Amino acid sequence: PQLTTNESGEISVEFTVPEALTRWNFMGLAHTSDLRYGQFSKEVVTRKELMVTPNLPRFFRDGDRMVIQTKVSNLTTNPMQGEARLQLFDAVTMNPVDELMQNQSTTKAFSLGANGNTVVSWEIAIPSGIDAVMVRISAQAGNHSDGEEVMLPVLTNRMLVTETLPLPVNGNETKNFTFN
């Protein structure tokens, strides 16, 4: 952290927090050479004023039709209006696949009240022939923006079938088995 003082002797502490949107307990202790000291404890909250929280599956399955949803949160005391965007890419080539996945309306408008939330959703269809999809969801309202990017595998609709046949053989005997 960088400590700076002003004309009144007050100290400002500037530091970079990890990319974790959470609460932190911040404690400080200062002392002089003649053992005078001061201490404080504060709770610090790291957050973005506009946040997107996508609700994505763990994987896609080819041939599926689904609705992708994201929660958009306004953590300010002012109302917000903005746009949320869903972009889909082939994760191998990074070429856009919005049209192939029938994502007709990539951008959706939203309106949020002070400290409010809303849900934005898009309907898509999962085609065959793509191994993985990069899903990018972002939102922008005024000077605030947030986004998240996740790579999801596309599983085939084929099912692995395992068939078994018991082969009981005792001691020194010989048997023939037919597995059709």
Side-chain angles (χ1 to χ4, degrees):
Q2 299 296 317
L3 303 175
T4 55
T5 58
N6 62 14
E7 303 81 34
S8 306
E10 298 170 331
I11 298 177
S12 296
V13 180
E14 291 185 26
F15 59 96
T16 303
V17 296
E19 286 190 26
L21 304 174
T22 186
R23 297 180 189 276
W24 305 83
N25 288 323
F26 187 76
M27 296 181 282
L29 172 69
H31 62 85
T32 64
S33 57
D34 59 348
L35 299 179
R36 292 191 297 159
Y37 71 95
Q39 64 185 26
F40 70 94
S41 177
K42 294 282 183 191
E43 184 178 73
V44 178
V45 177
T46 54
R47 67 179 190 183
K48 295 191 80 165
E49 295 187 336
L50 174 70
M51 289 181 27
V52 292
T53 310
N55 185 12
L56 296 172
R58 290 184 300 147
F59 56 86
F60 293 135
R61 195 170 287 279
D62 62 0
D64 280 354
R65 296 192 63 78
M66 66 177 49
V67 176
I68 299 279
Q69 293 184 326
T70 187
K71 179 173 84 169
V72 182
S73 302
N74 175 9
L75 300 177
T76 68
T77 56
N78 300 319
M80 281 187 185
Q81 292 182 350
E83 291 184 336
R85 171 176 278 185
L86 170 68
Q87 295 173 293
L88 303 166
F89 301 93
D90 183 333
V92 177
T93 63
M94 290 308 290
N95 291 329
V97 291
D98 291 300
E99 189 173 309
L100 185 64
M101 296 182 76
Q102 299 176 15
N103 183 18
Q104 314 303 8
S105 178
T106 59
T107 304
K108 303 259 180 131
F110 64 85
S111 181
L112 293 168
N115 295 309
N117 299 314
T118 191
V119 175
V120 180
S121 58
W122 297 266
E123 282 191 42
I124 63 168
I126 311 301
S128 58
I130 297 178
D131 294 326
V133 176
M134 182 69 71
V135 178
R136 182 181 298 157
I137 297 178
S138 60
Q140 182 164 1
N143 295 332
H144 306 294
S145 66
D146 189 27
E148 190 167 319
E149 189 175 82
V150 177
M151 185 172 62
L152 299 174
V154 178
L155 304 180
T156 181
N157 260 344
R158 290 183 282 164
M159 181 182 286
L160 179 63
V161 176
T162 303
E163 295 184 29
T164 62
L165 176 69
L167 305 173
V169 179
N170 295 324
N172 290 331
E173 65 183 10
T174 301
K175 287 188 177 180
N176 292 326
F177 297 94
T178 304
F179 188 72
N180 296 325

